[in-house]
Amino acid sequence: METFATMLQDELDRRQSRLIERRFKRCGLDERLTLMDFDWRFNPKLPRNTCFELHALKFITEGANALIIGKPGTGKSHVAEAVAYQATLQGYDVRYVEADAEFARYGLASTEEQAQLLKGWIDPDLLVLDDLFLARRIADVSAELLQAIVHRRYKLRRSIVITSNRVVQDWGKYLANATMATTILDRLMHRCAMLEFEGKSYRLKEAAARLVITCESS
């Protein structure tokens, strides 16, 4: 019986591993980041406790959202990707997209392709829109798409995590429609964690370190 139980557990473990791998491939992440990989000492004023609360994933069961807003290079995307990866490990269906690029792709797609893309962003338990408004101004079709995603996921109580360098007060300018921005934010922020990331850029730190190494080796 012990041998049979061991064999059964091994098979269950293998199946679980395959399920996790399929969820990871489907979600759109390139890396398996965690919050343990993050250098919290570099910017000690970041909202560490709130990040770990998100990582606990309770907000997904509540149908809540998260807005991670702040300066470039401060770790917003790392935290969002870590939350998304943790959600895949816990059995959630997750989609991670680079917002501006995917919205632009949607604008160039056929009607049938657009319907499939929209379904792929509505259905998952968690949708991560990374670097929203990176290009400052998005096309009208992208603005309407964002409104549709937020509206439909709000009705279904499915969670969204958005990262952006742009403060929410300026979203009306980037959408070129203050009323649309108000409608989107009203639904996003009804049940929402708001995280502000300030401080120095990790990317500039890493670039400076590489420059020092290059100079020392030359």
Side-chain angles (χ1 to χ4, degrees):
M1 287 298 294
E2 290 181 3
T3 301
F4 176 75
T6 300
M7 292 173 61
L8 179 59
Q9 187 59 54
D10 287 345
E11 178 60 22
L12 291 174
D13 290 344
R14 281 195 293 271
R15 291 186 181 186
Q16 181 65 14
S17 296
R18 289 196 293 268
L19 283 172
I20 291 173
E21 192 62 28
R22 283 200 293 269
R23 283 196 296 268
F24 178 76
K25 289 180 179 179
R26 187 169 62 240
C27 76
L29 290 168
D30 293 327
E31 300 179 272
R32 303 170 193 259
L33 298 180
T34 74
L35 292 188
M36 301 306 294
D37 302 328
F38 196 80
D39 183 3
W40 298 100
R41 295 170 298 177
F42 185 68
N43 283 325
K45 292 185 179 181
L46 294 183
R48 177 175 179 169
N49 289 342
T50 309
C51 291
F52 276 94
E53 287 174 7
L54 281 183
H55 196 258
L57 307 179
K58 184 179 178 182
F59 78 103
I60 299 179
T61 64
E62 296 172 343
N65 305 312
L67 295 180
I68 307 176
I69 309 296
K71 295 180 179 179
T74 49
K76 302 183 302 297
S77 294
H78 185 124
V79 170
E81 290 181 44
V83 170
Y85 179 51
Q86 177 66 9
T88 65
L89 294 178
Q90 296 303 316
Y92 290 104
D93 186 17
V94 179
R95 294 295 181 281
Y96 165 87
V97 300
E98 295 179 356
D100 286 16
E102 287 300 293
F103 287 1
R105 182 163 76 96
Y106 176 90
L108 298 174
S110 67
T111 302
E112 182 179 348
E113 290 170 336
Q114 286 182 343
Q116 292 175 346
L117 287 170
L118 181 59
K119 178 176 172 56
W121 298 327
I122 298 298
D123 288 349
D125 303 307
L126 173 63
L127 174 67
V128 178
L129 299 177
D130 195 22
D131 272 335
L132 183 64
F133 303 124
L134 185 63
R136 289 183 177 268
R137 176 74 172 88
I138 64 176
D140 291 343
V141 65
S142 297
E144 292 169 3
L145 171 62
L146 177 62
Q147 184 177 36
I149 290 172
V150 171
H151 176 70
R152 292 175 62 175
R153 290 188 66 86
Y154 176 81
K155 291 181 67 176
L156 294 167
R157 293 183 71 97
R158 291 175 182 158
S159 299
I160 303 175
V161 172
I162 292 178
T163 75
S164 180
N165 301 333
R166 317 300 180 186
V167 295
V168 296
Q169 293 88 339
D170 291 341
W171 282 21
K173 293 189 300 186
Y174 307 133
L175 291 166
N177 188 320
T179 301
M180 182 181 289
T182 300
T183 301
I184 290 170
L185 287 169
D186 179 67
R187 287 167 173 76
L188 277 175
M189 300 184 73
H190 180 207
R191 299 180 294 271
C192 185
M194 187 77 173
L195 291 76
E196 296 185 14
F197 275 44
E198 298 295 329
K200 301 169 289 184
S201 169
Y202 291 96
R203 284 191 288 270
L204 290 179
K205 171 195 172 186
E206 291 173 353
R210 287 195 298 271
L211 181 61
V212 169
I213 293 173
T214 300
C215 291
E216 289 177 349
S217 60
S218 63

